[in-house]
Amino acid sequence: MSLMCIAGGRIVDPASGRDEIGDVWIQNGRIVDAPDGHPPAERIDASGCVVMAGAIDIHTHVVGANVAAARLLLPERYSEIETPPEHWTGAPFDLQTTGALYAQMGFTMVVEPAVAPVDAAATHAELELIPYVDRAALSVVGNDDVLLGMLRDKASEDAIADYVGWLMTTSRAIGAKTINPGGVAALKENIRSFELDDTIPEYGVSSRQISAAMRKALTKLGVPHPLHLHTHNLGLPGSVETAVATIEAAEGEPLHLAHLQFYAYGTEGGFGMSSGAVRLAELLSKNKNVTADVGQVMFGPTCTISSDTLTQFNARRWATPKKWAVRDGDANGGGMVPFHYKARSKIAALQWAIGLELFLAIDDPNQVYMTTDHPNGGPFTSYPDLIAQLMDRSVRQAVIDQLPKEALEVSALGSMTREYSLRDIAVMTRQAPARLLGLDDRGHLKPGAAADVSVYRENPDIAAMFRKAQHVTKDGAFIVRDGQLAPPSYSRTLSVAPDYDKAIVSHVGDAYDRRWGLPPETFNVPETLMRNSSPFEVVACRS
Amino acid sequence: MTIFNPNDPTTRRGIEKAAALLEQSRAPVVVVNRIDLAGAAAAVTLARQAGAVLDHVAPTGLGPSQEQGTLGTVPGEAFLRADLVIVAGPITDTLAHDAGFARLTAPSPTRTVVNLGSAETTGGLLSSAEELRLDGLGLAEQLGVLYALAQGRPVSLDDRQAAEATRFIEQRMSQAKYGVFVFAPDAIDEHAQFMMMSLANVLSVETRWSILPLGRPAGQAELIRMCQALTGLPPPLSFAGTRPVHDPLLYRAVDVIGRRETDAILWVSACEDVPPDWIGGAPLAAVTARADAILAASAQISIGKPGIDYPALSEGALTGVVTANAQTSPVSKASAAQVIEAIGQQFAASQNGAVA
Ligand SMILES: [Zn+2]
C-alpha cells in the first residue's frame, strides 16, 4: 500500500507522549516513521482536527444467544428505530448497523464480553458479520460443571489452567469472564442470593474460590487480559461492600471488574441508596492490580442483557415493558429484562451520578474504562455524550439541573470539578484498553502500530465532535472518509491460543458425555465454516 | 471442500430460472425450512435483494414469549437436573424422534415424567410416564386450572377432578426441585403456551420451573438467529419497503400465500421433504435435496443436506444450540448458501443488465 500522510492535525497519543500539531504516516497498513524526503502518495489535511489511535470498546454486548433473545423479545422496539442512534429504543442493533455506528465514532475494535462456550460457533458466525472493526470475545467460565467439579475434587492449579486454556482456545476467546461466580449455578438449586463466601450446595465451592482459581489459571496460561469479573449483588443497594470485598479478595493479583458503577451503591440517605463511588476510587488507587470499566447509565429505554441469571431472575419484576426472558444455560444462561432509566427517577439519577463519580474520582485513566455495558446502562452510541460530560463540567451540570435533588444529595458529583483532557480520553479509550487486552500494536500511533487512526474535527460541541469522526482508517484503509462511511469491509476476530496440556480433553469429554452424550469437539469453531476467509488472528500470550 | 459447479448446465438453468422468477415477481415470498446457519444468512440476503417476504414454515410460537415473562432451560441442564418433567400436549412425530426428548423422558430413578393433556397421542411412546388428564378440558384450560390452583384460587371442577388437580399441584409440582415443561412448539397453540409459561412463573416464586421446547422444526433457530443478526428482526418479515418490517400477522408465509398475495415462491429446504401443501398457487422455485422430485416447481436446484453432504453450522437436538457439524457422506454436494448466493448473483447481474 502506498505512503499516506495525515498531516497537520493535533496528534494526541499518550503512548508516545505526543500532544502536538504534527503528522501521522501510514504505509502497508501500519504507522511508519516520517520518511526522509519522500512525498506521500496521498496527503490528508487534518488541520483543525484531533488525531488519535482508533478507540477500543472492551465490553459491549453485540452478539450471542442473549442478544438474539433480546431481539426476539422486543421486535416492536426495533421497528420504531428510524435512524439509530438518535431513536434508540432498547432493542439491539443489527450487526451492519453496529459496525457502522462504531466506525463513525472512531472505534476500530469491539469486545463482546459474554460468549457462552457452547454457543461459540454461532456467536463467532455473528461476530464476523460486524463490519469495519476488529472483534474479540470473552468466554464465560466459572459456573460450568467442569470447573466447579474440578474445584470440588481439588484438582491441581495446572489442571484447571489446562481446562481454561482448552475452553478459551476452542471458543476462540481473547479473555475469560466470570459472571456471578457460583451464584448462577446456585440459582439452579433455587438459591436466590449469593455472597462471596457462600457455597454452591452441589459442589461446596465458593465465589471466592472460583475467582481465585480463574485468576491463577489465566496468569499461568499467560493470557494478557486479566480475569474479567462480573461479581455478585449487581445493582443492589449495599453492593459497594461486595465490590470492596471482591477487590480485597484479589490479593494483589490482576483483576478487571466489569461495570463497577452497578456495584458502587451504599445504603445511606432518604431512599436507602447512596454513592459508594469515592470509596471505591480510593480503593482502586491503592490497588493498582485492579482495573474497572464503568457501565455508565445514560437515560432512556434499554434492554438489560446479562449472563448473570441470578440477578436477572430477581430483576424480572422491574421489567418495563412487562416481559422478560430468563434461561438457565449449560453454564451461565442469560436474562433479558427491558428497562427504562428515567431522569426523573431518583434511583436512575443516582446511578448516572455514581458512574460519573467513578470516572472523575479514579485519578488514573489507565484504571478506568469507558463503557455503558452496552446495552445494560445505555447504548454505546451515547459515548459521545458521556465524553462531553467528562470533558466539560457545564455539560454535566446541565444534566444535574434536570435531576431530582435527593439523588444528588447522596452523591459527590456536584462538588467534583475535574474535567477530562483529550489525553485522558485517549488513554481511557485507546491506550489502556489495548494494553489490557495485550495488543501491543494497537491503541497508539507509534511506528509499527496498526494504522487504526481516528480524525475528529475540533468542535466546541464535544459530543458532536466525537459522534462523527472526519476520517477513520482501519489498517490504513479508510472506513470513514470526509465523514462518510465506506462500503462495508471485514476485519478480524482476535483471540489467544494459550499452551495447555491436551490430556485435559479426556476429562472434559467425560463431563460432556454425561451432559449431552457428545464429544468436546462438538463445540469447536472451525475456520472453514466462517463466511469470510481467515477471519481469525491470534494474539500472543505472555511466556 | 464442497463441490459446487454453478456452470453445470442443469444447475445453471435452475439458478437462472429462479433468479428470473424473483426478478419478474412483484411480490415474491422466500420460505425456508431445514437450513444451516450460512444458508439462512444467504436466504436473508437474497430476500432483501428481491424485496421479498421471508419466513420459515413453522409457527413462530413467539407470541406468548413477547407478551410476558419466560423461564427457560436447555436440554443438558434439564437432563442432569430435572426431577419432574411434564410433557405438555401431543407427542408429535418430530418430538418423538428428537434425541433430546428421548433422553429426557427415558426411565430414570431420579425423574418422573408426566404427560399432561392428551393421553391418546402418547401412543405408548412414554410407557413409563404418568398421566394427568382433566376430562373435558383442552390443554390450555387444564394448564389454566393448575395455574389457578397454584395461586390458591378456586376452580369449578367436579370434586374428584378438583382433588386430583390440587394434589398434583401441592404434592408434585410445588415439591419439584427442578421442574421442566417439555412441548413441541408447533403442536400446541399459543394460548396453551401462554398458560404454561404463567404456571412455570407462578411456581417459580417458590421453586424452580422452566419451559423447554423440543422437537423444533429444523432450521427455525438458524433462520431466526441470522435474520435477526442481519436485520435486527425475526421472521416473518417483509423487505418490500425501504426497511425490513416484522409483522407476524401480515407476513406469515402460510397466510401471504393463502391470501394469494404473491406471484413467486422460492422454497428452500435442505432435505427431501416435499413442501407443505399450502405452498402453491404461484410459480415455484425449489432449492432442496431432491428438487427434481418437486414437479410443481418451474425452477429446480438440488443441494446437499447440512452436516451430511457438506459441513455446516446447525442446531443440535441434544444441546439446543448451533454447533459445527462435519460432513459425514464421502461425496460432497452443493450447500444451501452456495446455491442461494448464486441465485443472488444472477439476480443482481440481470438487474444491472436491465439498468444498462
Ligand atoms: Zn456486561
Side-chain angles (χ1 to χ4, degrees):
Chain A
M1 213 186 285
S2 54
L3 192 62
M4 178 166 78
C5 179
I6 297 173
R10 178 178 165 190
I11 316 295
V12 181
D13 185 38
S16 61
R18 291 178 83 184
D19 185 349
E20 62 193 17
I21 303 296
D23 303 335
V24 171
W25 292 79
I26 294 171
Q27 190 165 35
N28 297 327
R30 296 269 149 186
I31 308 287
V32 293
D33 279 316
D36 293 332
H38 271 280
E42 183 161 24
R43 188 188 152 86
I44 305 297
D45 180 13
S47 54
C49 295
V50 170
V51 181
M52 294 182 181
I56 299 172
D57 192 340
I58 62 160
H59 191 120
T60 175
H61 300 270
V62 286
V63 290
N66 292 345
V67 173
R71 291 193 182 107
L72 213 48
L73 191 65
L74 294 165
E76 77 285 5
R77 287 295 181 92
Y78 195 92
S79 306
E80 289 169 18
I81 302 175
E82 286 302 323
T83 47
E86 289 80 8
H87 296 272
W88 165 258
T89 55
F93 301 121
D94 66 83
L95 302 182
Q96 166 75 38
T97 304
T98 299
L101 291 171
Y102 267 115
Q104 284 175 321
M105 296 192 303
F107 279 73
T108 51
M109 181 169 181
V110 298
V111 180
E112 160 54 55
V115 175
V118 295
D119 190 55
T123 302
H124 279 291
E126 292 176 328
L127 205 52
E128 68 158 345
L129 294 175
I130 297 179
Y132 304 113
V133 296
D134 286 331
R135 301 92 40 168
L138 305 181
S139 275
V140 179
V141 199
N143 284 292
D144 46 312
D145 174 58
V146 177
L147 183 82
L148 298 176
M150 290 177 92
L151 288 170
R152 177 196 56 211
D153 300 339
K154 311 257 183 299
S156 70
E157 287 181 6
D158 282 343
I160 290 173
D162 290 335
Y163 167 61
V164 174
W166 170 80
L167 195 69
M168 290 178 70
T169 304
T170 53
S171 57
R172 296 189 186 265
I174 201 168
K177 186 186 186 195
T178 295
I179 300 173
N180 198 335
V184 166
L187 175 67
K188 294 170 183 170
E189 295 184 73
N190 201 28
I191 285 167
R192 309 279 169 109
S193 73
F194 202 79
E195 302 288 339
L196 193 64
D197 289 307
D198 288 346
T199 56
I200 316 159
E202 187 181 346
Y203 300 95
V205 172
S206 72
S207 166
R208 186 188 297 274
Q209 285 173 284
I210 296 166
S211 297
M214 286 299 298
R215 289 197 311 272
K216 289 187 170 44
L218 292 165
T219 302
K220 228 178 237 307
L221 292 164
V223 173
H225 189 49
L227 176 62
H228 197 109
L229 179 61
H230 164 140
T231 193
H232 35 88
N233 290 331
L234 181 141
L236 301 182
S239 56
V240 64
E241 303 302 337
T242 304
V244 168
T246 301
I247 292 167
E248 286 169 351
E251 298 176 330
E253 293 169 1
L255 177 69
H256 179 83
L257 290 175
H259 35 70
L260 189 59
Q261 179 274 133
F262 287 108
Y263 303 98
Y265 306 157
T267 54
E268 287 152 36
F271 55 101
M273 181 167 154
S274 56
S275 171
V278 171
R279 186 175 161 202
L280 290 180
E282 282 166 4
L283 198 58
L284 252 63
S285 73
K286 293 189 201 112
N287 290 271
K288 290 291 183 187
N289 56 310
V290 179
T291 54
D293 64 88
V294 170
Q296 177 68 32
V297 159
M298 301 298 270
F299 300 114
T302 194
C303 183
T304 64
I305 299 175
S306 178
S307 306
D308 182 349
T309 48
L310 178 59
T311 292
Q312 296 297 74
F313 183 85
N314 290 328
R316 68 199 193 283
R317 64 201 156 116
W318 306 116
T320 317
K322 286 275 165 224
K323 55 180 180 175
W324 44 269
V326 177
R327 176 183 45 85
D328 285 335
D330 288 296
N332 269 76
M336 286 53 70
V337 182
F339 192 73
H340 197 134
Y341 296 103
K342 296 188 173 110
R344 65 169 191 275
S345 148
K346 290 192 286 277
I347 289 171
L350 179 57
Q351 288 178 303
W352 171 82
I354 287 172
L356 286 180
E357 274 190 72
L358 284 172
F359 279 113
L360 297 168
I362 297 172
D363 296 326
D364 182 356
N366 282 291
Q367 259 185 306
V368 61
Y369 295 76
M370 184 177 75
T371 67
T372 55
D373 188 16
H374 167 85
N376 287 300
F380 65 78
T381 48
S382 59
Y383 288 161
D385 297 303
L386 180 52
I387 292 173
Q389 290 167 12
L390 294 172
M391 290 187 69
D392 185 339
R393 226 182 126 188
S394 70
V395 172
R396 61 180 183 257
Q397 188 58 48
V399 180
I400 289 173
D401 292 342
Q402 310 292 315
L403 303 179
K405 278 200 305 296
E406 306 95 299
L408 275 301
E409 281 165 8
V410 284
S411 156
L413 183 63
S415 63
M416 289 181 161
T417 56
R418 183 177 167 198
E419 292 181 330
Y420 268 53
S421 64
L422 282 172
R423 182 189 177 281
D424 290 338
I425 297 293
V427 171
M428 179 173 69
T429 58
R430 276 80 176 167
Q431 176 188 299
R435 285 188 184 163
L436 193 70
L437 296 167
L439 306 173
D440 297 336
D441 64 347
R442 296 203 179 38
H444 63 85
L445 298 172
K446 290 191 282 191
D452 298 354
V453 184
S454 319
V455 180
Y456 302 99
R457 184 153 298 286
E458 286 194 87
N459 185 338
D461 181 342
I462 296 168
M465 170 174 160
F466 283 98
R467 188 166 291 127
K468 287 266 192 294
Q470 183 71 10
H471 309 292
V472 184
T473 64
K474 177 82 200 73
D475 297 313
F478 283 100
I479 53 175
V480 174
R481 183 163 194 164
D482 298 322
Q484 297 301 311
L485 208 54
S489 53
Y490 294 86
S491 189
R492 293 166 301 274
T493 300
L494 309 182
S495 61
V496 290
D499 272 332
Y500 62 90
D501 185 346
K502 309 283 185 289
I504 195 68
V505 179
S506 71
H507 178 78
V508 175
D510 292 343
Y512 283 23
D513 187 53
R514 266 196 312 280
R515 177 167 289 264
W516 298 293
L518 293 168
E521 306 84 77
T522 306
F523 302 101
N524 286 357
V525 185
E527 181 155 348
T528 49
L529 287 179
M530 295 294 118
R531 187 177 174 80
N532 301 312
S533 60
S534 306
F536 298 114
E537 182 179 314
V538 170
V539 176
C541 283
R542 297 186 181 120
S543 46
Chain B
M1 218 24 231
T2 304
I3 293 167
F4 174 60
N5 177 12
N7 297 320
D8 162 79
T10 314
T11 308
R12 186 79 247 150
R13 201 162 45 245
I15 288 168
E16 282 171 2
K17 276 189 185 172
L21 190 67
L22 291 175
E23 214 208 331
Q24 285 151 19
S25 166
R26 296 180 57 208
V29 179
V30 176
V31 189
V32 172
N33 183 36
R34 301 206 184 199
I35 201 163
D36 59 296
L37 208 66
V44 175
T45 304
L46 178 61
R48 191 199 292 264
Q49 208 179 346
V53 162
L54 174 71
D55 197 9
H56 47 71
V57 296
T60 62
L62 294 182
S65 61
Q66 289 168 346
E67 285 159 23
Q68 65 162 343
T70 314
L71 291 169
T73 189
V74 287
E77 209 58 45
F79 176 71
L80 290 176
R81 213 173 276 280
D83 52 350
L84 179 56
V85 167
I86 295 189
V87 181
I91 297 164
T92 60
D93 226 35
T94 331
L95 188 56
H97 287 101
D98 184 88
F101 180 75
R103 213 163 167 251
L104 188 58
T105 53
S108 156
T110 57
R111 175 162 44 243
T112 307
V113 178
V114 178
N115 184 230
L116 175 71
S118 43
E120 61 274 22
T121 56
T122 306
L125 280 163
L126 288 179
S127 51
S128 65
E130 300 174 22
E131 277 167 12
L132 176 73
R133 197 163 67 253
L134 303 173
D135 295 331
L137 297 180
L139 179 62
E141 288 75 24
Q142 296 186 60
L143 287 160
V145 164
L146 295 172
Y147 177 58
L149 291 171
Q151 294 174 299
R153 288 195 274 114
V155 293
S156 55
L157 283 179
D158 68 56
D159 288 352
R160 185 191 58 80
Q161 293 218 29
E164 191 187 351
T166 304
R167 194 166 54 243
F168 193 72
I169 278 286
E170 287 177 358
Q171 293 177 14
R172 306 297 291 280
M173 298 190 81
S174 302
Q175 302 302 318
K177 288 195 165 63
Y178 199 86
V180 177
F181 282 110
V182 172
F183 64 103
D186 51 348
I188 70 175
D189 64 23
E190 293 202 342
H191 186 205
Q193 293 188 41
F194 189 90
M195 291 317 303
M196 184 171 56
M197 288 171 188
S198 303
L199 181 52
N201 290 349
V202 72
L203 290 165
S204 293
V205 172
E206 296 295 337
T207 183
R208 290 300 320 270
W209 272 88
S210 307
I211 65 159
L212 179 63
L214 288 176
R216 276 184 287 197
Q220 188 186 1
E222 292 86 337
L223 185 70
I224 291 175
R225 189 83 180 250
M226 273 297 132
C227 189
Q228 292 194 132
L230 292 167
T231 71
L233 295 162
L237 48 76
S238 166
F239 289 104
T242 50
R243 300 165 36 74
V245 177
H246 163 78
D247 191 321
L249 294 175
L250 272 181
Y251 300 129
R252 248 166 48 121
V254 58
D255 299 328
V256 171
I257 292 170
R259 294 193 299 258
R260 296 286 188 267
E261 287 179 16
T262 179
D263 54 5
I265 303 167
L266 177 67
W267 159 253
V268 183
S269 175
C271 69
E272 288 167 325
D273 282 353
V274 289
D277 53 13
W278 49 263
I279 293 216
L284 175 68
V287 178
T288 78
R290 288 225 22 226
D292 56 331
I294 299 173
L295 300 175
S298 56
Q300 302 155 333
I301 312 129
S302 291
I303 54 174
K305 296 177 197 164
I308 298 174
D309 304 315
Y310 62 92
L313 298 172
S314 56
E315 193 185 37
L318 292 165
T319 60
V321 295
V322 171
T323 56
N325 298 281
Q327 177 182 327
T328 53
S329 160
V331 182
S332 298
K333 290 184 183 165
S335 74
Q338 286 173 322
V339 166
I340 297 168
E341 280 165 10
I343 296 171
Q345 281 158 13
Q346 178 66 37
F347 181 90
S350 46
Q351 287 233 312
N352 289 340
V355 171

